[in-house]
Structure formats: C-alpha cells, structure tokens
Amino acid sequence: MPEFIPYTLLALFSIGIGIYLFKDTVRFAFKSEKTEGRIVNWMSANEKGKKYFYPVIEYTPKGGETLRVRTEDRCNNEPMYVVGTAVSVKYDPSNFKTIRVEYPKKTS
C-alpha cells in the first residue's frame, strides 16, 4: 500500500469531523443574507460584579417584518455606540433571529 493513503484518509477524516462540528457556522456563512439595521437600545446586566451592556438591534429581513433582537455581543462599563448607530446584519433566512452583526469601526 502506498505511504500517502493512510495520511490522506486521516486528513479526510479530520476534515469530515471539522465540517460536522462547525456545520451550523459553515451553513450560516453560505446561506446568510445581509441587510442594514440599527442599534435601538442597550440592555444592561450585572455578572460577577461587572456591568455589561448588550445591544438591541432592529432590522427588517427580506420578505419579513421588522424585528428587534438582543445580541450576545457585549461591552463593559458603558455602551460602545449611541442608540441609532447603523450596523450591518447577516441573518439566517430560515431563522430570522439568528444574526451576526458587523459594527462600524470606532474612531477615537
């Protein structure tokens, strides 16, 4: 048996495991759609003595109604952006509440 076959099989097996573990992320990357949104509010929470702020994003998916979603993105001490800041939203067409948000670059 040629020496490269076991290595090839091992590589294919590793790639298969990686695809299986990250299938939702890979599917989102290929199937997601992009639209504009904006920050409409900030929700605060205290966790282990620290104050965190979570943005609430409003956007309208293609063919859908306007939605407001609190993201899992967070910042410490104070909100990073003002309410009304425009953001770019990637959403899953089969589940509009699954989103990834691209925020504007901060300039100081």
Side-chain angles (χ1 to χ4, degrees), residues 34-96:
K34 196 171 188 177
T35 189
E36 295 301 313
R38 63 187 178 99
I39 299 173
V40 294
N41 200 0
W42 287 90
M43 297 179 77
S44 64
N46 288 312
E47 297 173 23
K48 298 180 182 176
K50 287 188 174 182
K51 191 165 192 169
Y52 294 105
F53 290 88
Y54 297 86
V56 178
I57 307 296
E58 182 178 83
Y59 71 101
T60 306
K62 187 163 72 171
E65 296 180 14
T66 300
L67 297 171
R68 287 186 178 194
V69 178
R70 188 205 88 164
T71 68
E72 292 300 315
D73 303 329
R74 67 182 185 185
C75 55
N76 300 335
N77 300 326
E78 63 183 42
M80 289 180 66
Y81 302 97
V82 297
V83 170
T85 299
V87 295
S88 182
V89 178
K90 283 184 157 183
Y91 64 91
D92 183 343
S94 61
N95 181 3
F96 292 149

Side-chain angles (χ1 to χ4, degrees), residues 20-39:
Y20 176 76
L21 292 175
F22 297 102
K23 67 182 179 283
D24 292 335
T25 302
V26 171
R27 188 184 75 72
F28 185 87
F30 286 107
K31 300 285 184 181
S32 64
E33 295 189 22
K34 196 171 188 177
T35 189
E36 295 301 313
R38 63 187 178 99
I39 299 173

